[in-house]
Amino acid sequence: GATWAQTTLSATMQEVYAVAWNGSRFCALGYNTGTGTVGVVHRQATGAWSAWVAVSGAAYNSKLTAITWTGGAWVAVGENGKAWYTTSSTPSSGWTEVSTYTGVANDILGIASDGSVTVACCSDGGAGDGRITHTEDPTAASAWTVVTLPNIVANINTCFCAAHDNAGRWVFGQDEGYVAVTDNLTTFTSYLIDSDASDIGAICHTGKHYVALSTSSSQAAIYVSKDGITWVGLQNPSATNVKAINAESFCYVAGQIGSDKALFRSGSLL
């Protein structure tokens, strides 16, 4: 994580919410202040980013803040359990709204998929606990199962993000520098990444390591783990307001330099 390269996403994307990868294409979710719409730009592993693509019907107050590829669809989620999806791999068209997911009246802050099960992360909605909801069909509102994470640590009441490895382990970012780890989406154990860390707002798996971001308005703190339990802090990119992370053979972080929105890439995590 010592060397980061900056890439401009789009002149029309003023806020970057999330970045996802489907094996051949990146998709960045964000907001266009000029048109007042939520939308995406996308590109292959190399080459230029596409023109702005508005997510039909998703205005700024929809607050779509997370996106993933499920193996058959791009799914973007956000406020009040709302979601949009498209089965177009590009994803330039065909965005369709899904009605509020059953049992999820609060905001969905993160989403991830292992190609079979899709897991969404929720705020507590005033209930005082973090929640996840999972399904084998993210295009159907009625197919979701809600699971309440154990409130092991005081004030840990939000689940921000999720990532999984190839062995079936899931790791969820929580408040105050904590993560919750599970191998079955039923039994969870919480671990503290760093007592000085803020909320773990973004997390991914590179194929070898978990990478987590402790998000803040000043600068991101980056942590790496082989098992999701023991973590090592790394040098940070010089970015503020970091909101997104994704990885394949490289690690990508979406953030801000001054007034510019940018994507940073590192090929040397450890």
Side-chain angles (χ1 to χ4, degrees):
T3 304
W4 294 86
Q6 178 181 345
T7 300
T8 299
L9 289 175
S10 170
T12 57
M13 181 179 284
Q14 281 71 44
E15 296 183 16
V16 181
Y17 296 152
V19 183
W21 167 258
N22 72 349
S24 62
R25 185 172 294 273
F26 289 102
C27 184
L29 177 70
Y31 175 57
N32 184 324
T33 57
T35 60
T37 57
V38 174
V40 298
V41 294
H42 57 87
R43 55 165 277 186
Q44 294 179 328
T46 60
W49 289 88
S50 72
W52 175 261
V53 179
V55 175
S56 179
Y60 177 61
N61 58 9
S62 299
K63 295 183 181 178
L64 295 181
T65 56
I67 189 169
T68 194
W69 173 254
T70 69
W74 293 99
V75 180
V77 294
E79 188 179 56
N80 296 321
K82 292 290 187 178
W84 273 257
Y85 74 93
T86 178
T87 56
S88 172
S89 62
T90 38
S92 296
S93 61
W95 287 94
T96 301
E97 183 178 0
V98 182
S99 58
T100 303
Y101 293 151
T102 301
V104 182
N106 43 339
D107 298 345
I108 297 180
L109 306 175
I111 190 168
S113 177
D114 64 3
S116 176
V117 175
T118 299
V119 178
C121 306
C122 310
S123 62
D124 66 0
D129 53 54
R131 299 178 181 182
I132 64 168
T133 179
H134 58 86
T135 182
E136 294 182 359
D137 182 9
T139 67
S142 61
W144 292 79
T145 299
V146 177
V147 178
T148 299
L149 299 184
N151 193 358
I152 299 172
V153 182
N155 300 319
I156 306 303
N157 53 22
T158 301
C159 184
F160 293 101
C161 53
H164 64 89
D165 62 22
N166 297 326
R169 171 163 292 180
W170 288 84
V171 177
F172 299 90
Q174 297 183 282
D175 310 50
E176 306 296 333
Y178 279 87
V179 293
V181 179
T182 180
D183 293 327
N184 54 24
L185 293 178
T186 302
T187 304
F188 301 82
T189 304
S190 290
Y191 298 93
L192 178 63
I193 287 183
D194 186 342
S195 59
D196 293 327
S198 57
D199 299 341
I200 305 301
I203 195 167
C204 72
H205 194 268
T206 69
K208 293 183 178 180
H209 304 95
Y210 288 98
V211 183
L213 293 181
S214 172
T215 56
S216 70
S217 60
S218 56
Q219 185 161 322
I222 300 176
Y223 301 90
V224 175
S225 172
K226 291 183 178 180
D227 58 6
I229 297 172
T230 302
W231 295 81
V232 176
L234 297 182
Q235 181 177 339
N236 309 326
S238 299
T240 61
N241 296 321
V242 175
K243 296 182 179 179
I245 185 172
N246 203 269
E248 185 68 11
S249 56
F250 294 93
C251 178
Y252 293 82
V253 176
Q256 180 174 336
I257 294 290
S259 60
D260 297 326
K261 305 303 182 294
L263 187 71
F264 299 85
R265 184 183 77 170
S266 175
S268 54
L269 290 175
L270 288 177

